[in-house]
Structures are given as C-alpha cells and as structure tokens.
Amino acid sequence: MTDAVGKKSPAELDRVALQKAYARWAPVYDLVFGAIFDRGRQAAIAAAEQVGGRILEVGVGTGISLPGYSSQNRIIGIDLSEAMLRKAQRRVADLSLTNVEKLEVMDAEHLSFPDASFDVVVANHVISTVPHPEAALDECARMLRPGGEMILLSRIGADRGFRHLVERLLQPIVCRLGWRAEFPWDRFALWTERRTDVRLIERRPMPPFGHFSLLRFVKFELGARA
Ligand SMILES: C[S@@+](CC[C@H](N)C(=O)[O-])C[C@H]1O[C@@H](n2cnc3c(N)ncnc32)[C@H](O)[C@@H]1O
C-alpha cells in the first residue's frame, strides 16, 4: 500500500523485508511454530493426500510438512526465503524424502510453472504473509488442473469489533516479523467471487483458538460454474 507521494506504508510487507524476516526465523522456526500449528498441518496434508498426484507446496518454508506426504505423490516446494529453503533441503536429505522432486527459490506471485501443472497446491500460513495475497491466490489457481484442489491454512482476522481493532494496532509491529495481523475473511470471499473457475468447498476452523482456518478450493473447467 502506498500513500499520495508513493511512499510504502510501514505496515505493509515487501519481498526484501520478508526475506530478512524469514532469514531470522529460519534457525528457530520449527521450534516456535512446529507444535502449535501441527494439527492444521496434518489436516492440510490429509486433504492433499485425498487428491494426491503432483503437489506444489507454496511457501514450503523449512519443509516441516514434507515428511507427511506419502511416497507415491511427487512434491515440489517453492519459497522466497533461501534461508528457510536451506532448512528444507537439509530435512529432505536427512530423511531421504525421495518423493520431493525439487525445492526452489520462487515468488508465489510469479510462479514459473506452466498452467495446470499440478493436481494439488498447498499453501500453509503463506497467503496472509505475501505482499499481494490476491496475486498469489491467482497464481496458485493457475497451477491447478481442472478438478485439482488448492488447500490453504490461513489466519483469518476479525471483520469488526475489539479483536479487529487490536489486529489493526498490531499490524505495524507484526509485519516486521513477516506476516499480517489483519487479514479479514472478506479478502478470500471477494477473491472467490471474482474467479469463475474456482469454488470454495470447505472452511474448517483450526487451532490455536480457531483464529486459523483450513480452506479447500476446487478448480473447474472454465465456464463450468455457470
Ligand atoms: C509462516 S511461514 C510458513 C511456512 C510453512 N508453510 C509452514 O507451514 O510452516 C511463511 C513462508 O512463506 C514464505 N513466503 C512469504 N512470501 C512469499 C512469497 N511471495 N513467495 C514465496 N514464499 C513466500 C516465507 O519465506 C516463509 O517461508
């Protein structure tokens, strides 16, 4: 977000700030966010396994989900942060995860794979951290073959009330850590409304405190929704 003279708001995220933030998180990420997000991650993996096939993990981070995928599936992981990806690469080597085809530095808003390359796209705790969430959602949807699923774990902020106010106040601090405090459901709702080829098929609250959700979207053939 920019003001009238084109200066970026200090409460917004950008690629450089994100890379710096996740370089700091990389050594301790699993320790801090391993157990607390485990139930959500297991639910996302189970949903991805229901479809199976070629799976793209966007914002794969330290690769904390990678050991959960079955050996028949082929996994490709991308992330903006080299430091996080180095952790993921070490995990793949240490655990001999032969189903992980590739881990690559890439921006979720500009994926370099051709359209419809994947059966499943997973993005756990990523969409609310990217500078332009709707652009990343568009790219994730572009990756899916018709009938494929996009599976997201995301923080859903409050739309109004006291929690909404607190989230707004926290935003300038929290964005330095590499994510948004404020991320109302409306952003997903408006994005889904705009797309003619994607439909939300599940929204399930997830711990901690139900402030997170598992979201599943399915991709149609173009025009099939009408
Ligand atoms: C909160 S971590 C989540 C990591 C992992 N998915 C998990 O479930 O623990 C967010 C990840 O998204 C990555 N990320 C943020 N913006 C990105 C972008 N534009 N493109 C690709 N990855 C991005 C960060 O580098 C970080 O590894």
Side-chain angles (χ1 to χ4, degrees), residues 15 18-19 22 29-30 33 37 41 57-65 78-81 84 106-109 123-126 129-131 136 153 178-179:
R15 296 175 88 246
L18 279 167
Q19 279 164 328
Y22 284 99
Y29 185 87
D30 291 0
F33 298 108
F37 289 147
R41 262 187 218 108
E57 229 198 89
V58 172
V60 64
T62 62
I64 197 163
S65 302
I78 68 104
D79 203 285
L80 199 59
S81 163
M84 294 288 272
M106 202 182 288
D107 186 345
E109 296 178 20
N124 293 337
H125 305 294
V126 176
T129 76
V130 302
L153 283 173
W179 57 82

Side-chain angles (χ1 to χ4, degrees), residues 3 5 19-20 58 72 93 96 105 118 129 131 145-146 152 157 172 175-176 178 191 200 217 225:
D3 64 17
V5 287
Q19 279 164 328
K20 281 189 188 153
V58 172
Q72 309 83 287
S96 306
V105 176
F118 293 91
T129 76
R145 59 139 170 102
L152 312 178
C175 78
R176 270 180 250 148
W191 178 79
L200 177 70
F217 296 86
R225 193 185 210 181

Side-chain angles (χ1 to χ4, degrees), residues 71-98:
S71 56
Q72 309 83 287
N73 294 319
R74 316 308 306 161
I75 324 295
I76 293 181
I78 68 104
D79 203 285
L80 199 59
S81 163
E82 275 182 46
M84 294 288 272
L85 272 186
R86 271 196 299 276
K87 285 271 184 185
Q89 268 145 1
R90 197 161 319 136
R91 190 189 304 270
V92 167
D94 288 350
L95 301 177
S96 306
L97 301 176
T98 52

Side-chain angles (χ1 to χ4, degrees), residues 120-137:
V120 187
V121 175
V122 176
N124 293 337
H125 305 294
V126 176
I127 296 301
S128 71
T129 76
V130 302
H132 307 99
E134 290 78 8
L137 286 169

